[in-house]
PDB file of all heavy atoms in Angstrom:
ATOM      1  N   CYS U  52       0.836  -1.198   0.000  1.00  0.00           N
ATOM      2  CA  CYS U  52       0.000   0.000   0.000  1.00  0.00           C
ATOM      3  C   CYS U  52       0.873   1.251   0.000  1.00  0.00           C
ATOM      4  O   CYS U  52       2.049   1.209   0.365  1.00  0.00           O
ATOM      5  CB  CYS U  52      -0.945   0.007   1.199  1.00  0.00           C
ATOM      6  SG  CYS U  52      -0.142   0.430   2.759  1.00  0.00           S
ATOM      7  N   HIS U  53       0.272   2.328  -0.442  1.00  0.00           N
ATOM      8  CA  HIS U  53       0.896   3.653  -0.378  1.00  0.00           C
ATOM      9  C   HIS U  53      -0.170   4.613   0.103  1.00  0.00           C
ATOM     10  O   HIS U  53      -1.307   4.574  -0.368  1.00  0.00           O
ATOM     11  CB  HIS U  53       1.413   4.098  -1.748  1.00  0.00           C
ATOM     12  CG  HIS U  53       1.666   5.574  -1.821  1.00  0.00           C
ATOM     13  ND1 HIS U  53       2.819   6.156  -1.345  1.00  0.00           N
ATOM     14  CD2 HIS U  53       0.899   6.593  -2.300  1.00  0.00           C
ATOM     15  CE1 HIS U  53       2.763   7.464  -1.527  1.00  0.00           C
ATOM     16  NE2 HIS U  53       1.606   7.759  -2.103  1.00  0.00           N
ATOM     17  N   TYR U  54       0.164   5.495   1.024  1.00  0.00           N
ATOM     18  CA  TYR U  54      -0.822   6.454   1.514  1.00  0.00           C
ATOM     19  C   TYR U  54      -0.120   7.753   1.889  1.00  0.00           C
ATOM     20  O   TYR U  54       1.028   7.769   2.318  1.00  0.00           O
ATOM     21  CB  TYR U  54      -1.591   5.896   2.716  1.00  0.00           C
ATOM     22  CG  TYR U  54      -0.714   5.476   3.872  1.00  0.00           C
ATOM     23  CD1 TYR U  54      -0.385   6.373   4.879  1.00  0.00           C
ATOM     24  CD2 TYR U  54      -0.211   4.172   3.952  1.00  0.00           C
ATOM     25  CE1 TYR U  54       0.412   5.995   5.941  1.00  0.00           C
ATOM     26  CE2 TYR U  54       0.595   3.790   5.013  1.00  0.00           C
ATOM     27  CZ  TYR U  54       0.908   4.697   6.001  1.00  0.00           C
ATOM     28  OH  TYR U  54       1.712   4.328   7.051  1.00  0.00           O
ATOM     29  N   ALA U  55      -0.864   8.850   1.704  1.00  0.00           N
ATOM     30  CA  ALA U  55      -0.360  10.158   2.096  1.00  0.00           C
ATOM     31  C   ALA U  55      -0.903  10.563   3.456  1.00  0.00           C
ATOM     32  O   ALA U  55      -0.297  11.358   4.164  1.00  0.00           O
ATOM     33  CB  ALA U  55      -0.743  11.204   1.043  1.00  0.00           C
ATOM     34  N   ASP U  56      -2.067  10.006   3.810  1.00  0.00           N
ATOM     35  CA  ASP U  56      -2.711  10.375   5.073  1.00  0.00           C
ATOM     36  C   ASP U  56      -3.176   9.110   5.780  1.00  0.00           C
ATOM     37  O   ASP U  56      -4.132   8.457   5.355  1.00  0.00           O
ATOM     38  CB  ASP U  56      -3.900  11.300   4.787  1.00  0.00           C
ATOM     39  CG  ASP U  56      -4.548  11.830   6.055  1.00  0.00           C
ATOM     40  OD1 ASP U  56      -4.107  11.454   7.161  1.00  0.00           O
ATOM     41  OD2 ASP U  56      -5.501  12.623   5.937  1.00  0.00           O
ATOM     42  N   SER U  57      -2.532   8.755   6.870  1.00  0.00           N
ATOM     43  CA  SER U  57      -2.875   7.534   7.605  1.00  0.00           C
ATOM     44  C   SER U  57      -4.262   7.612   8.234  1.00  0.00           C
ATOM     45  O   SER U  57      -4.854   6.584   8.578  1.00  0.00           O
ATOM     46  CB  SER U  57      -1.830   7.254   8.691  1.00  0.00           C
ATOM     47  OG  SER U  57      -1.793   8.325   9.631  1.00  0.00           O
ATOM     48  N   ALA U  58      -4.790   8.836   8.376  1.00  0.00           N
ATOM     49  CA  ALA U  58      -6.118   9.001   8.963  1.00  0.00           C
ATOM     50  C   ALA U  58      -7.213   8.427   8.067  1.00  0.00           C
ATOM     51  O   ALA U  58      -8.344   8.222   8.522  1.00  0.00           O
ATOM     52  CB  ALA U  58      -6.393  10.476   9.240  1.00  0.00           C
ATOM     53  N   LEU U  59      -6.879   8.174   6.797  1.00  0.00           N
ATOM     54  CA  LEU U  59      -7.854   7.622   5.860  1.00  0.00           C
ATOM     55  C   LEU U  59      -7.835   6.097   5.833  1.00  0.00           C
ATOM     56  O   LEU U  59      -8.645   5.478   5.146  1.00  0.00           O
ATOM     57  CB  LEU U  59      -7.604   8.164   4.446  1.00  0.00           C
ATOM     58  CG  LEU U  59      -7.738   9.681   4.270  1.00  0.00           C
ATOM     59  CD1 LEU U  59      -7.397  10.086   2.844  1.00  0.00           C
ATOM     60  CD2 LEU U  59      -9.157  10.136   4.632  1.00  0.00           C
ATOM     61  N   LEU U  60      -6.910   5.488   6.586  1.00  0.00           N
ATOM     62  CA  LEU U  60      -6.820   4.032   6.621  1.00  0.00           C
ATOM     63  C   LEU U  60      -7.785   3.466   7.661  1.00  0.00           C
ATOM     64  O   LEU U  60      -7.935   4.021   8.751  1.00  0.00           O
ATOM     65  CB  LEU U  60      -5.397   3.589   6.959  1.00  0.00           C
ATOM     66  CG  LEU U  60      -4.301   3.956   5.949  1.00  0.00           C
ATOM     67  CD1 LEU U  60      -2.949   3.456   6.468  1.00  0.00           C
ATOM     68  CD2 LEU U  60      -4.588   3.364   4.577  1.00  0.00           C
ATOM     69  N   TYR U  61      -8.407   2.352   7.318  1.00  0.00           N
ATOM     70  CA  TYR U  61      -9.343   1.687   8.229  1.00  0.00           C
ATOM     71  C   TYR U  61      -8.594   1.151   9.453  1.00  0.00           C
ATOM     72  O   TYR U  61      -9.046   1.294  10.588  1.00  0.00           O
ATOM     73  CB  TYR U  61     -10.052   0.554   7.492  1.00  0.00           C
ATOM     74  CG  TYR U  61     -11.110  -0.157   8.284  1.00  0.00           C
ATOM     75  CD1 TYR U  61     -12.231   0.535   8.758  1.00  0.00           C
ATOM     76  CD2 TYR U  61     -11.005  -1.514   8.554  1.00  0.00           C
ATOM     77  CE1 TYR U  61     -13.215  -0.117   9.492  1.00  0.00           C
ATOM     78  CE2 TYR U  61     -11.982  -2.182   9.277  1.00  0.00           C
ATOM     79  CZ  TYR U  61     -13.083  -1.474   9.746  1.00  0.00           C
ATOM     80  OH  TYR U  61     -14.058  -2.126  10.463  1.00  0.00           O
ATOM     81  N   VAL U  62      -7.439   0.525   9.194  1.00  0.00           N
ATOM     82  CA  VAL U  62      -6.496   0.116  10.248  1.00  0.00           C
ATOM     83  C   VAL U  62      -5.093   0.426   9.732  1.00  0.00           C
ATOM     84  O   VAL U  62      -4.906   0.710   8.549  1.00  0.00           O
ATOM     85  CB  VAL U  62      -6.620  -1.389  10.596  1.00  0.00           C
ATOM     86  CG1 VAL U  62      -7.970  -1.690  11.231  1.00  0.00           C
ATOM     87  CG2 VAL U  62      -6.402  -2.258   9.361  1.00  0.00           C
ATOM     88  N   SER U  63      -4.094   0.363  10.593  1.00  0.00           N
ATOM     89  CA  SER U  63      -2.731   0.671  10.166  1.00  0.00           C
ATOM     90  C   SER U  63      -2.237  -0.354   9.158  1.00  0.00           C
ATOM     91  O   SER U  63      -2.708  -1.502   9.124  1.00  0.00           O
ATOM     92  CB  SER U  63      -1.793   0.707  11.373  1.00  0.00           C
ATOM     93  OG  SER U  63      -1.667  -0.584  11.939  1.00  0.00           O
ATOM     94  N   ALA U  64      -1.284   0.060   8.321  1.00  0.00           N
ATOM     95  CA  ALA U  64      -0.756  -0.830   7.283  1.00  0.00           C
ATOM     96  C   ALA U  64      -0.209  -2.127   7.871  1.00  0.00           C
ATOM     97  O   ALA U  64      -0.365  -3.202   7.282  1.00  0.00           O
ATOM     98  CB  ALA U  64       0.333  -0.106   6.494  1.00  0.00           C
ATOM     99  N   GLU U  65       0.411  -2.041   9.035  1.00  0.00           N
ATOM    100  CA  GLU U  65       0.976  -3.233   9.664  1.00  0.00           C
ATOM    101  C   GLU U  65      -0.092  -4.268  10.002  1.00  0.00           C
ATOM    102  O   GLU U  65       0.190  -5.469  10.101  1.00  0.00           O
ATOM    103  CB  GLU U  65       1.724  -2.856  10.952  1.00  0.00           C
ATOM    104  CG  GLU U  65       2.971  -2.024  10.740  1.00  0.00           C
ATOM    105  CD  GLU U  65       2.674  -0.556  10.459  1.00  0.00           C
ATOM    106  OE1 GLU U  65       1.510  -0.128  10.662  1.00  0.00           O
ATOM    107  OE2 GLU U  65       3.601   0.156  10.026  1.00  0.00           O
ATOM    108  N   GLN U  66      -1.319  -3.799  10.150  1.00  0.00           N
ATOM    109  CA  GLN U  66      -2.410  -4.690  10.540  1.00  0.00           C
ATOM    110  C   GLN U  66      -3.092  -5.364   9.351  1.00  0.00           C
ATOM    111  O   GLN U  66      -3.872  -6.293   9.564  1.00  0.00           O
ATOM    112  CB  GLN U  66      -3.454  -3.919  11.357  1.00  0.00           C
ATOM    113  CG  GLN U  66      -2.964  -3.476  12.723  1.00  0.00           C
ATOM    114  CD  GLN U  66      -4.013  -2.675  13.454  1.00  0.00           C
ATOM    115  OE1 GLN U  66      -4.207  -1.486  13.218  1.00  0.00           O
ATOM    116  NE2 GLN U  66      -4.711  -3.326  14.372  1.00  0.00           N
ATOM    117  N   PHE U  67      -2.827  -4.883   8.128  1.00  0.00           N
ATOM    118  CA  PHE U  67      -3.521  -5.524   6.999  1.00  0.00           C
ATOM    119  C   PHE U  67      -2.605  -6.077   5.909  1.00  0.00           C
ATOM    120  O   PHE U  67      -3.032  -6.947   5.138  1.00  0.00           O
ATOM    121  CB  PHE U  67      -4.569  -4.590   6.392  1.00  0.00           C
ATOM    122  CG  PHE U  67      -4.036  -3.355   5.720  1.00  0.00           C
ATOM    123  CD1 PHE U  67      -3.474  -3.403   4.446  1.00  0.00           C
ATOM    124  CD2 PHE U  67      -4.122  -2.120   6.344  1.00  0.00           C
ATOM    125  CE1 PHE U  67      -3.006  -2.260   3.826  1.00  0.00           C
ATOM    126  CE2 PHE U  67      -3.659  -0.958   5.735  1.00  0.00           C
ATOM    127  CZ  PHE U  67      -3.098  -1.041   4.458  1.00  0.00           C
ATOM    128  N   ILE U  68      -1.363  -5.629   5.796  1.00  0.00           N
ATOM    129  CA  ILE U  68      -0.477  -6.173   4.767  1.00  0.00           C
ATOM    130  C   ILE U  68      -0.281  -7.674   4.990  1.00  0.00           C
ATOM    131  O   ILE U  68       0.029  -8.118   6.081  1.00  0.00           O
ATOM    132  CB  ILE U  68       0.891  -5.458   4.770  1.00  0.00           C
ATOM    133  CG1 ILE U  68       0.722  -3.980   4.410  1.00  0.00           C
ATOM    134  CG2 ILE U  68       1.846  -6.129   3.786  1.00  0.00           C
ATOM    135  CD1 ILE U  68       0.196  -3.729   3.019  1.00  0.00           C
ATOM    136  N   GLY U  69      -0.502  -8.444   3.931  1.00  0.00           N
ATOM    137  CA  GLY U  69      -0.352  -9.896   4.016  1.00  0.00           C
ATOM    138  C   GLY U  69      -1.613 -10.617   4.448  1.00  0.00           C
ATOM    139  O   GLY U  69      -1.637 -11.853   4.497  1.00  0.00           O
ATOM    140  N   LYS U  70      -2.667  -9.847   4.732  1.00  0.00           N
ATOM    141  CA  LYS U  70      -3.911 -10.467   5.185  1.00  0.00           C
ATOM    142  C   LYS U  70      -4.996 -10.386   4.102  1.00  0.00           C
ATOM    143  O   LYS U  70      -4.963  -9.534   3.231  1.00  0.00           O
ATOM    144  CB  LYS U  70      -4.412  -9.794   6.469  1.00  0.00           C
ATOM    145  CG  LYS U  70      -3.484 -10.020   7.654  1.00  0.00           C
ATOM    146  CD  LYS U  70      -4.055  -9.413   8.913  1.00  0.00           C
ATOM    147  CE  LYS U  70      -3.140  -9.647  10.100  1.00  0.00           C
ATOM    148  NZ  LYS U  70      -3.674  -9.048  11.351  1.00  0.00           N
ATOM    149  N   HIS U  71      -5.979 -11.266   4.210  1.00  0.00           N
ATOM    150  CA  HIS U  71      -7.089 -11.300   3.268  1.00  0.00           C
ATOM    151  C   HIS U  71      -8.093 -10.204   3.626  1.00  0.00           C
ATOM    152  O   HIS U  71      -8.276  -9.869   4.805  1.00  0.00           O
ATOM    153  CB  HIS U  71      -7.782 -12.665   3.331  1.00  0.00           C
ATOM    154  CG  HIS U  71      -8.679 -12.932   2.166  1.00  0.00           C
ATOM    155  ND1 HIS U  71      -9.986 -12.490   2.119  1.00  0.00           N
ATOM    156  CD2 HIS U  71      -8.458 -13.592   0.984  1.00  0.00           C
ATOM    157  CE1 HIS U  71     -10.531 -12.866   0.975  1.00  0.00           C
ATOM    158  NE2 HIS U  71      -9.631 -13.535   0.265  1.00  0.00           N
ATOM    159  N   VAL U  72      -8.733  -9.652   2.597  1.00  0.00           N
ATOM    160  CA  VAL U  72      -9.675  -8.541   2.831  1.00  0.00           C
ATOM    161  C   VAL U  72     -10.787  -8.935   3.803  1.00  0.00           C
ATOM    162  O   VAL U  72     -11.279  -8.106   4.568  1.00  0.00           O
ATOM    163  CB  VAL U  72     -10.278  -8.027   1.505  1.00  0.00           C
ATOM    164  CG1 VAL U  72      -9.223  -7.357   0.646  1.00  0.00           C
ATOM    165  CG2 VAL U  72     -10.974  -9.139   0.733  1.00  0.00           C
ATOM    166  N   LYS U  73     -11.181 -10.208   3.790  1.00  0.00           N
ATOM    167  CA  LYS U  73     -12.270 -10.644   4.665  1.00  0.00           C
ATOM    168  C   LYS U  73     -11.892 -10.612   6.139  1.00  0.00           C
ATOM    169  O   LYS U  73     -12.770 -10.536   7.000  1.00  0.00           O
ATOM    170  CB  LYS U  73     -12.728 -12.054   4.278  1.00  0.00           C
ATOM    171  CG  LYS U  73     -13.580 -12.103   3.023  1.00  0.00           C
ATOM    172  CD  LYS U  73     -14.187 -13.487   2.815  1.00  0.00           C
ATOM    173  CE  LYS U  73     -15.169 -13.494   1.665  1.00  0.00           C
ATOM    174  NZ  LYS U  73     -15.795 -14.830   1.467  1.00  0.00           N
ATOM    175  N   SER U  74     -10.603 -10.654   6.431  1.00  0.00           N
ATOM    176  CA  SER U  74     -10.164 -10.610   7.826  1.00  0.00           C
ATOM    177  C   SER U  74      -9.836  -9.192   8.277  1.00  0.00           C
ATOM    178  O   SER U  74      -9.468  -8.983   9.441  1.00  0.00           O
ATOM    179  CB  SER U  74      -8.940 -11.507   8.025  1.00  0.00           C
ATOM    180  OG  SER U  74      -7.819 -10.996   7.311  1.00  0.00           O
ATOM    181  N   VAL U  75      -9.969  -8.231   7.354  1.00  0.00           N
ATOM    182  CA  VAL U  75      -9.614  -6.848   7.676  1.00  0.00           C
ATOM    183  C   VAL U  75     -10.809  -5.906   7.557  1.00  0.00           C
ATOM    184  O   VAL U  75     -11.105  -5.138   8.480  1.00  0.00           O
ATOM    185  CB  VAL U  75      -8.482  -6.339   6.752  1.00  0.00           C
ATOM    186  CG1 VAL U  75      -8.185  -4.864   7.025  1.00  0.00           C
ATOM    187  CG2 VAL U  75      -7.228  -7.177   6.925  1.00  0.00           C
ATOM    188  N   LEU U  76     -11.508  -5.972   6.427  1.00  0.00           N
ATOM    189  CA  LEU U  76     -12.568  -5.011   6.116  1.00  0.00           C
ATOM    190  C   LEU U  76     -13.936  -5.500   6.599  1.00  0.00           C
ATOM    191  O   LEU U  76     -14.135  -6.705   6.805  1.00  0.00           O
ATOM    192  CB  LEU U  76     -12.621  -4.780   4.607  1.00  0.00           C
ATOM    193  CG  LEU U  76     -11.350  -4.237   3.947  1.00  0.00           C
ATOM    194  CD1 LEU U  76     -11.529  -4.176   2.437  1.00  0.00           C
ATOM    195  CD2 LEU U  76     -11.000  -2.860   4.494  1.00  0.00           C
ATOM    196  N   PRO U  77     -14.890  -4.567   6.757  1.00  0.00           N
ATOM    197  CA  PRO U  77     -16.269  -4.982   7.024  1.00  0.00           C
ATOM    198  C   PRO U  77     -16.743  -5.923   5.909  1.00  0.00           C
ATOM    199  O   PRO U  77     -16.297  -5.812   4.760  1.00  0.00           O
ATOM    200  CB  PRO U  77     -17.042  -3.658   7.005  1.00  0.00           C
ATOM    201  CG  PRO U  77     -16.024  -2.622   7.345  1.00  0.00           C
ATOM    202  CD  PRO U  77     -14.742  -3.097   6.737  1.00  0.00           C
ATOM    203  N   GLU U  78     -17.645  -6.816   6.251  1.00  0.00           N
ATOM    204  CA  GLU U  78     -18.040  -7.882   5.323  1.00  0.00           C
ATOM    205  C   GLU U  78     -18.527  -7.353   3.975  1.00  0.00           C
ATOM    206  O   GLU U  78     -18.127  -7.858   2.919  1.00  0.00           O
ATOM    207  CB  GLU U  78     -19.138  -8.749   5.949  1.00  0.00           C
ATOM    208  CG  GLU U  78     -19.548  -9.919   5.067  1.00  0.00           C
ATOM    209  CD  GLU U  78     -20.619 -10.778   5.719  1.00  0.00           C
ATOM    210  OE1 GLU U  78     -21.089 -10.422   6.815  1.00  0.00           O
ATOM    211  OE2 GLU U  78     -21.001 -11.806   5.120  1.00  0.00           O
ATOM    212  N   ASP U  79     -19.372  -6.318   3.998  1.00  0.00           N
ATOM    213  CA  ASP U  79     -19.923  -5.812   2.740  1.00  0.00           C
ATOM    214  C   ASP U  79     -18.833  -5.224   1.843  1.00  0.00           C
ATOM    215  O   ASP U  79     -18.841  -5.436   0.620  1.00  0.00           O
ATOM    216  CB  ASP U  79     -21.018  -4.776   2.996  1.00  0.00           C
ATOM    217  CG  ASP U  79     -20.536  -3.602   3.845  1.00  0.00           C
ATOM    218  OD1 ASP U  79     -19.489  -3.724   4.513  1.00  0.00           O
ATOM    219  OD2 ASP U  79     -21.220  -2.550   3.828  1.00  0.00           O
ATOM    220  N   LEU U  80     -17.874  -4.505   2.437  1.00  0.00           N
ATOM    221  CA  LEU U  80     -16.791  -3.924   1.645  1.00  0.00           C
ATOM    222  C   LEU U  80     -15.816  -4.995   1.166  1.00  0.00           C
ATOM    223  O   LEU U  80     -15.289  -4.910   0.049  1.00  0.00           O
ATOM    224  CB  LEU U  80     -16.055  -2.855   2.448  1.00  0.00           C
ATOM    225  CG  LEU U  80     -14.905  -2.147   1.730  1.00  0.00           C
ATOM    226  CD1 LEU U  80     -15.378  -1.546   0.398  1.00  0.00           C
ATOM    227  CD2 LEU U  80     -14.299  -1.065   2.607  1.00  0.00           C
ATOM    228  N   ALA U  81     -15.574  -6.006   1.983  1.00  0.00           N
ATOM    229  CA  ALA U  81     -14.696  -7.104   1.568  1.00  0.00           C
ATOM    230  C   ALA U  81     -15.273  -7.825   0.355  1.00  0.00           C
ATOM    231  O   ALA U  81     -14.560  -8.113  -0.616  1.00  0.00           O
ATOM    232  CB  ALA U  81     -14.514  -8.085   2.728  1.00  0.00           C
ATOM    233  N   ILE U  82     -16.584  -8.089   0.385  1.00  0.00           N
ATOM    234  CA  ILE U  82     -17.247  -8.755  -0.738  1.00  0.00           C
ATOM    235  C   ILE U  82     -17.198  -7.873  -1.984  1.00  0.00           C
ATOM    236  O   ILE U  82     -16.919  -8.349  -3.097  1.00  0.00           O
ATOM    237  CB  ILE U  82     -18.704  -9.100  -0.375  1.00  0.00           C
ATOM    238  CG1 ILE U  82     -18.727 -10.181   0.703  1.00  0.00           C
ATOM    239  CG2 ILE U  82     -19.476  -9.576  -1.606  1.00  0.00           C
ATOM    240  CD1 ILE U  82     -20.111 -10.464   1.269  1.00  0.00           C
ATOM    241  N   LEU U  83     -17.443  -6.571  -1.797  1.00  0.00           N
ATOM    242  CA  LEU U  83     -17.384  -5.634  -2.922  1.00  0.00           C
ATOM    243  C   LEU U  83     -15.983  -5.622  -3.536  1.00  0.00           C
ATOM    244  O   LEU U  83     -15.828  -5.655  -4.765  1.00  0.00           O
ATOM    245  CB  LEU U  83     -17.766  -4.227  -2.455  1.00  0.00           C
ATOM    246  CG  LEU U  83     -17.689  -3.113  -3.513  1.00  0.00           C
ATOM    247  CD1 LEU U  83     -18.688  -3.362  -4.642  1.00  0.00           C
ATOM    248  CD2 LEU U  83     -17.941  -1.747  -2.873  1.00  0.00           C
ATOM    249  N   THR U  84     -14.966  -5.588  -2.696  1.00  0.00           N
ATOM    250  CA  THR U  84     -13.575  -5.568  -3.174  1.00  0.00           C
ATOM    251  C   THR U  84     -13.251  -6.829  -3.977  1.00  0.00           C
ATOM    252  O   THR U  84     -12.668  -6.759  -5.061  1.00  0.00           O
ATOM    253  CB  THR U  84     -12.601  -5.434  -1.995  1.00  0.00           C
ATOM    254  OG1 THR U  84     -12.903  -4.251  -1.251  1.00  0.00           O
ATOM    255  CG2 THR U  84     -11.159  -5.356  -2.493  1.00  0.00           C
ATOM    256  N   LEU U  85     -13.651  -7.980  -3.453  1.00  0.00           N
ATOM    257  CA  LEU U  85     -13.403  -9.239  -4.157  1.00  0.00           C
ATOM    258  C   LEU U  85     -14.145  -9.277  -5.494  1.00  0.00           C
ATOM    259  O   LEU U  85     -13.602  -9.760  -6.503  1.00  0.00           O
ATOM    260  CB  LEU U  85     -13.837 -10.425  -3.283  1.00  0.00           C
ATOM    261  CG  LEU U  85     -12.988 -10.664  -2.036  1.00  0.00           C
ATOM    262  CD1 LEU U  85     -13.616 -11.748  -1.164  1.00  0.00           C
ATOM    263  CD2 LEU U  85     -11.557 -11.063  -2.415  1.00  0.00           C
ATOM    264  N   ASN U  86     -15.364  -8.757  -5.509  1.00  0.00           N
ATOM    265  CA  ASN U  86     -16.131  -8.717  -6.762  1.00  0.00           C
ATOM    266  C   ASN U  86     -15.461  -7.815  -7.796  1.00  0.00           C
ATOM    267  O   ASN U  86     -15.438  -8.137  -8.992  1.00  0.00           O
ATOM    268  CB  ASN U  86     -17.558  -8.226  -6.493  1.00  0.00           C
ATOM    269  CG  ASN U  86     -18.413  -9.258  -5.775  1.00  0.00           C
ATOM    270  OD1 ASN U  86     -18.087 -10.452  -5.778  1.00  0.00           O
ATOM    271  ND2 ASN U  86     -19.498  -8.825  -5.159  1.00  0.00           N
ATOM    272  N   LYS U  87     -14.901  -6.696  -7.347  1.00  0.00           N
ATOM    273  CA  LYS U  87     -14.252  -5.766  -8.271  1.00  0.00           C
ATOM    274  C   LYS U  87     -12.918  -6.318  -8.767  1.00  0.00           C
ATOM    275  O   LYS U  87     -12.521  -6.070  -9.909  1.00  0.00           O
ATOM    276  CB  LYS U  87     -14.061  -4.396  -7.609  1.00  0.00           C
ATOM    277  CG  LYS U  87     -15.379  -3.687  -7.296  1.00  0.00           C
ATOM    278  CD  LYS U  87     -16.266  -3.578  -8.516  1.00  0.00           C
ATOM    279  CE  LYS U  87     -17.619  -2.974  -8.199  1.00  0.00           C
ATOM    280  NZ  LYS U  87     -18.501  -2.882  -9.395  1.00  0.00           N
ATOM    281  N   ILE U  88     -12.211  -7.065  -7.918  1.00  0.00           N
ATOM    282  CA  ILE U  88     -10.988  -7.741  -8.364  1.00  0.00           C
ATOM    283  C   ILE U  88     -11.336  -8.740  -9.461  1.00  0.00           C
ATOM    284  O   ILE U  88     -10.674  -8.810 -10.504  1.00  0.00           O
ATOM    285  CB  ILE U  88     -10.291  -8.447  -7.179  1.00  0.00           C
ATOM    286  CG1 ILE U  88      -9.667  -7.413  -6.236  1.00  0.00           C
ATOM    287  CG2 ILE U  88      -9.207  -9.406  -7.695  1.00  0.00           C
ATOM    288  CD1 ILE U  88      -9.080  -8.015  -4.972  1.00  0.00           C
ATOM    289  N   ALA U  89     -12.412  -9.522  -9.225  1.00  0.00           N
ATOM    290  CA  ALA U  89     -12.846 -10.514 -10.212  1.00  0.00           C
ATOM    291  C   ALA U  89     -13.283  -9.842 -11.508  1.00  0.00           C
ATOM    292  O   ALA U  89     -12.982 -10.329 -12.613  1.00  0.00           O
ATOM    293  CB  ALA U  89     -13.989 -11.339  -9.638  1.00  0.00           C
ATOM    294  N   GLU U  90     -13.967  -8.705 -11.396  1.00  0.00           N
ATOM    295  CA  GLU U  90     -14.422  -7.989 -12.586  1.00  0.00           C
ATOM    296  C   GLU U  90     -13.241  -7.436 -13.384  1.00  0.00           C
ATOM    297  O   GLU U  90     -13.210  -7.526 -14.617  1.00  0.00           O
ATOM    298  CB  GLU U  90     -15.359  -6.846 -12.171  1.00  0.00           C
ATOM    299  CG  GLU U  90     -15.997  -6.115 -13.342  1.00  0.00           C
ATOM    300  CD  GLU U  90     -16.954  -5.022 -12.901  1.00  0.00           C
ATOM    301  OE1 GLU U  90     -17.337  -4.995 -11.701  1.00  0.00           O
ATOM    302  OE2 GLU U  90     -17.322  -4.178 -13.740  1.00  0.00           O
ATOM    303  N   ALA U  91     -12.272  -6.844 -12.668  1.00  0.00           N
ATOM    304  CA  ALA U  91     -11.081  -6.318 -13.343  1.00  0.00           C
ATOM    305  C   ALA U  91     -10.278  -7.442 -13.989  1.00  0.00           C
ATOM    306  O   ALA U  91      -9.699  -7.270 -15.070  1.00  0.00           O
ATOM    307  CB  ALA U  91     -10.212  -5.552 -12.346  1.00  0.00           C
ATOM    308  N   GLN U  92     -10.252  -8.603 -13.321  1.00  0.00           N
ATOM    309  CA  GLN U  92      -9.531  -9.752 -13.873  1.00  0.00           C
ATOM    310  C   GLN U  92     -10.214 -10.269 -15.137  1.00  0.00           C
ATOM    311  O   GLN U  92      -9.562 -10.588 -16.135  1.00  0.00           O
ATOM    312  CB  GLN U  92      -9.461 -10.867 -12.829  1.00  0.00           C
ATOM    313  CG  GLN U  92      -8.656 -12.079 -13.280  1.00  0.00           C
ATOM    314  CD  GLN U  92      -8.535 -13.120 -12.184  1.00  0.00           C
ATOM    315  OE1 GLN U  92      -9.371 -13.203 -11.291  1.00  0.00           O
ATOM    316  NE2 GLN U  92      -7.477 -13.909 -12.239  1.00  0.00           N
ATOM    317  N   GLU U  93     -11.538 -10.328 -15.108  1.00  0.00           N
ATOM    318  CA  GLU U  93     -12.287 -10.831 -16.263  1.00  0.00           C
ATOM    319  C   GLU U  93     -12.181  -9.882 -17.450  1.00  0.00           C
ATOM    320  O   GLU U  93     -11.968 -10.304 -18.588  1.00  0.00           O
ATOM    321  CB  GLU U  93     -13.750 -11.026 -15.878  1.00  0.00           C
ATOM    322  CG  GLU U  93     -14.618 -11.538 -17.020  1.00  0.00           C
ATOM    323  CD  GLU U  93     -16.080 -11.655 -16.628  1.00  0.00           C
ATOM    324  OE1 GLU U  93     -16.417 -11.413 -15.447  1.00  0.00           O
ATOM    325  OE2 GLU U  93     -16.888 -11.990 -17.508  1.00  0.00           O
TER     326      GLU U  93
END
């Protein structure tokens, strides 16, 4: 990740790098993120 303002992060970078979105983000946003990854991949 790259960020200019840490206040915009849901949790600190150390807490999410290397982890799956489902273990970091709220469920609805995690599902949305996975769907958008799949859409961009397709």
Side-chain angles (χ1 to χ4, degrees):
C52 76
H53 162 82
Y54 57 90
D56 185 358
S57 61
L59 298 177
L60 296 179
Y61 184 61
V62 294
S63 67
E65 293 78 13
Q66 292 178 280
F67 66 78
I68 296 296
K70 294 183 179 179
H71 196 275
V72 293
K73 284 189 173 181
S74 66
V75 176
L76 301 175
E78 183 179 4
D79 57 342
L80 181 54
I82 292 172
L83 177 64
T84 303
L85 292 173
N86 288 341
K87 294 306 176 181
I88 289 174
E90 186 178 346
Q92 183 176 25
E93 180 183 356

